[in-house]
Amino acid sequence: MAPHLLIVDDEPDMLVLLKRSLTLDLGCEIDVAPSGEAALEMIRSGSYDLVLADIKMPGISGIHLLEQIKAEYDDQITVVMMTAYGHIDMAVEAMKHGAYDFVTKPFDHDALVMRLEKALERSHLLRENERLHHECRSTNMFQSLVGKSSAMQRVYETIQMVAKTDLTVLVTGESGTGKDLTARAVHALSNRSKRPFIAVNCPTVPEHILESELFGYRKGAFTHATRDRKGLFQEAHTGTIFLDEIGDITPTIQTKLLRVLQEKEFKPLGESRPIHVDVRIIASTNQPLAEKIKSGEFREDFFYRLNVLPIKLPPLRERPKDIPLISNHLLEKHCAKLGKPLKRISPELMDTFVNRRWEGNVREMENMIMQGILFSSTDEITPRDVGIERPTTSRPAVEVTSLLDMPYRDAKESNLQAFNAAYIGHMLTQNSGNVSQAAKASGLERQALQQIMRRYGISAEPYRQ
């Protein structure tokens, strides 16, 4: 549906001129109102994305109209003010009252169109944020995982399939992609859902303690072992044990776990007889296990026992469609946890989020959103609130020092990758993901732009969100 613009001015000639000149250039529906009073009636009975209003009008002035719009509609309607050149101080005052921008008469037509396009883009992002916020609470969650991208749909299907079995599952993915939530989802959908779920963060426990934690010990097995102690495998009997970041454990522990996987039994420290357990094992890692097998750090037979049913989680940068959903979900979750009123993410910050590389994935986003909730002094979180002074729609440029360490061809390709991601990302942003319009703005044929996008793995889909 085309965006809807309302122009408010007490000069009839100005209304005719603006409506005629902007209808074609902006491609939106345009209504006009000859006064602030008429504008309020139209706004209350219609649905507008943007209001372009003159400041000096008889009756309800532009400033009073702005205040009324903000009072009744908060930030749902973007307002741009018009003023004569000699009254810029009034326009600045309007900005303090919540106007998005102001333009001065007489107009430079191209500059006016550009500023109104930016304002309409902001309105679109605000409404899309609101829509995604509601979607996030309903149809786009699977257990505690959030996302509707095709990559996550495949993950959900795999979880549902493996949950029906008792076979061992290996969850792989970068840090912060949701391996713990995935393991809990498998358990929750399994026949063991009413039984214990025991999670062990393997790298945080020293090797000599990890063995006794997992398998337990008998009184007198070592100094200070003054009583028998059950291990976590016994605690998880009939349920599920989750071995998080199993790629970091030593070969000694790998050997002992291999016996549990093969025989479903183990010996506590100081015990001569094995104990049988009925436990489903789910493991996870962010390590490249194939490389660790080659270097001798990870047992190959242990890997094959673990990797019966693999689930690979995609990094956040490969599913940009999910970023607005996840960010709004985290925002609602942590506003409640921190006892803060529900805030919203500004369009500028959301644009930055969608185009960020997210090396730390969802965990990095979660930390950034919590920072924004605490540091934002208004009900909107901006790039500055999360420590981003200059939001960018491109991937970070390759540092010169790293380029100097590369072969010439690799360095050149890295620079081209960064440039094309930045330039084409900007053009797609300006044209709402329309490849034909982005090609025209770039001075390229559509086929040529598509070829460049394919080469550098750039998709237009995120920019249509």
Side-chain angles (χ1 to χ4, degrees):
M1 187 171 66
H4 209 169
L5 165 64
L6 175 64
I7 304 174
V8 190
D9 200 305
D10 61 321
E11 297 181 25
D13 291 343
M14 181 62 70
L15 291 177
V16 172
L17 173 65
L18 286 173
K19 182 171 182 177
R20 182 183 301 159
S21 62
L22 293 175
T23 299
L24 185 61
D25 288 323
L26 291 177
C28 64
E29 294 182 32
I30 297 180
D31 292 335
V32 297
S35 67
E37 291 86 349
L40 277 176
E41 287 185 16
M42 295 175 71
I43 291 168
R44 287 166 180 161
S45 61
S47 176
Y48 291 96
D49 301 284
L50 173 63
V51 173
L52 175 63
D54 192 26
I55 288 182
K56 296 198 72 175
M57 294 185 294
I60 296 181
S61 69
I63 295 288
H64 290 146
L65 174 62
L66 169 66
E67 290 175 339
Q68 196 64 39
I69 291 172
K70 291 298 172 185
E72 294 185 25
Y73 300 94
D74 191 21
D75 209 26
Q76 297 174 39
I77 299 176
T78 302
V79 181
V80 175
M81 308 303 297
M82 297 184 286
T83 184
Y85 182 75
H87 298 95
I88 292 179
D89 55 332
M90 297 179 69
V92 173
E93 186 66 22
M95 298 281 283
K96 292 179 181 177
H97 284 81
Y100 173 71
D101 200 354
F102 70 89
V103 293
T104 56
K105 301 175 182 178
F107 302 120
D108 176 292
H109 181 72
D110 290 341
L112 174 63
V113 169
M114 182 185 71
R115 296 177 101 150
L116 293 180
E117 284 178 337
K118 285 287 185 185
L120 285 169
E121 181 182 352
R122 175 182 184 274
S123 294
H124 170 73
L125 284 170
L126 282 172
R127 298 206 173 193
E128 187 68 6
N129 276 1
E130 186 65 23
R131 183 184 68 80
L132 291 170
H133 183 74
H134 289 299
E135 282 187 4
C136 172
R137 288 182 291 182
S138 53
T139 60
N140 294 297
M141 289 190 69
F142 178 86
Q143 297 295 312
S144 295
L145 295 162
V146 179
K148 65 176 183 179
S149 63
S150 56
M152 288 307 294
Q153 294 300 324
R154 287 193 292 273
V155 170
Y156 302 157
E157 291 169 5
T158 305
I159 290 173
Q160 289 175 312
M161 179 187 70
V162 304
K164 298 173 184 176
T165 75
D166 263 346
L167 298 174
T168 303
V169 176
L170 179 62
V171 185
T172 59
E174 296 177 9
S175 293
T177 50
K179 296 187 289 295
D180 177 83
L181 293 177
T182 301
R184 292 177 186 277
V186 171
H187 174 73
L189 295 172
S190 73
N191 294 330
R192 298 174 182 259
S193 60
K194 304 297 183 184
R195 309 304 300 168
F197 177 88
I198 305 294
V200 188
N201 193 334
C202 298
T204 63
V205 186
E207 178 186 357
H208 65 284
I209 297 177
L210 182 59
E211 182 176 355
S212 61
E213 285 289 311
L214 291 174
F215 308 119
Y217 53 81
R218 293 289 178 257
K219 180 180 177 180
F222 53 85
T223 307
H224 306 306
T226 57
R227 58 182 178 83
D228 290 350
R229 179 174 177 178
K230 282 185 177 182
L232 295 176
F233 269 95
Q234 281 179 277
E235 297 286 349
H237 182 61
T238 70
T240 302
I241 190 165
F242 173 47
L243 304 174
D244 194 15
E245 299 303 347
I246 201 167
D248 293 305
I249 65 173
T250 64
T252 301
I253 302 296
Q254 292 172 35
T255 301
K256 294 182 181 296
L257 284 172
L258 179 61
R259 177 178 176 84
V260 181
L261 286 166
Q262 289 174 330
E263 310 296 338
K264 297 294 184 182
E265 63 181 29
F266 62 90
K267 288 182 181 178
L269 292 173
E271 176 64 77
S272 58
R273 293 176 298 178
I275 294 177
H276 182 81
V277 285
D278 173 20
V279 175
R280 195 216 186 128
I281 296 176
I282 302 176
S284 78
T285 183
N286 63 2
Q287 300 284 335
L289 294 186
E291 294 179 16
K292 300 196 78 164
I293 290 171
K294 289 179 182 178
S295 65
E297 299 174 80
F298 205 84
R299 291 185 56 146
E300 188 172 13
D301 52 355
F302 182 48
F303 169 74
Y304 288 122
R305 285 287 182 178
L306 282 175
N307 197 39
V308 179
L309 295 176
I311 300 176
K312 184 173 182 180
L313 298 180
L316 193 54
R317 61 183 169 274
E318 291 182 6
R319 49 187 186 109
K321 182 186 291 186
D322 293 336
I323 288 174
L325 291 169
I326 295 170
S327 58
N328 279 314
H329 167 71
L330 294 173
L331 188 65
E332 184 177 273
K333 170 185 171 183
H334 288 292
C335 280
K337 276 190 173 184
L338 296 169
K340 299 287 185 180
L342 185 61
K343 296 176 181 279
R344 61 175 173 271
I345 296 171
S346 73
E348 295 80 11
L349 181 56
M350 184 61 76
D351 186 53
T352 302
F353 275 7
V354 169
N355 293 283
R356 191 177 177 88
R357 280 195 61 80
W358 295 115
E359 300 296 344
N361 293 289
V362 178
R363 191 173 297 124
E364 179 187 353
M365 178 187 287
E366 189 165 20
N367 292 339
M368 194 174 285
I369 285 175
M370 285 192 287
Q371 177 184 333
I373 293 170
L374 292 172
F375 289 170
S376 171
S377 58
T378 67
D379 60 355
E380 185 174 76
I381 301 175
T382 67
R384 185 181 293 273
D385 296 324
V386 297
I388 301 174
E389 292 296 327
R390 293 182 179 178
T392 176
T393 57
S394 64
R395 297 178 180 179
V398 180
E399 294 184 8
V400 173
T401 51
S402 64
L403 286 174
L404 295 178
D405 294 330
M406 296 180 184
Y408 173 81
R409 287 187 177 181
D410 293 346
K412 179 182 176 183
E413 187 65 22
S414 293
N415 246 345
L416 285 172
Q417 176 76 49
F419 166 77
N420 280 285
Y423 182 87
I424 295 173
H426 172 73
M427 287 299 180
L428 289 169
T429 299
Q430 294 299 308
N431 293 280
S432 301
N434 187 307
V435 177
S436 296
Q437 291 179 11
K440 185 178 179 181
S442 306
L444 296 170
E445 295 292 332
R446 175 186 170 89
Q447 291 83 355
L449 180 60
Q450 287 178 317
Q451 186 176 359
I452 296 171
M453 290 170 64
R454 281 195 295 271
R455 177 179 176 183
Y456 293 102
I458 301 169
S459 170
E461 184 62 29
Y463 302 92
R464 296 181 183 130
Q465 305 306 311

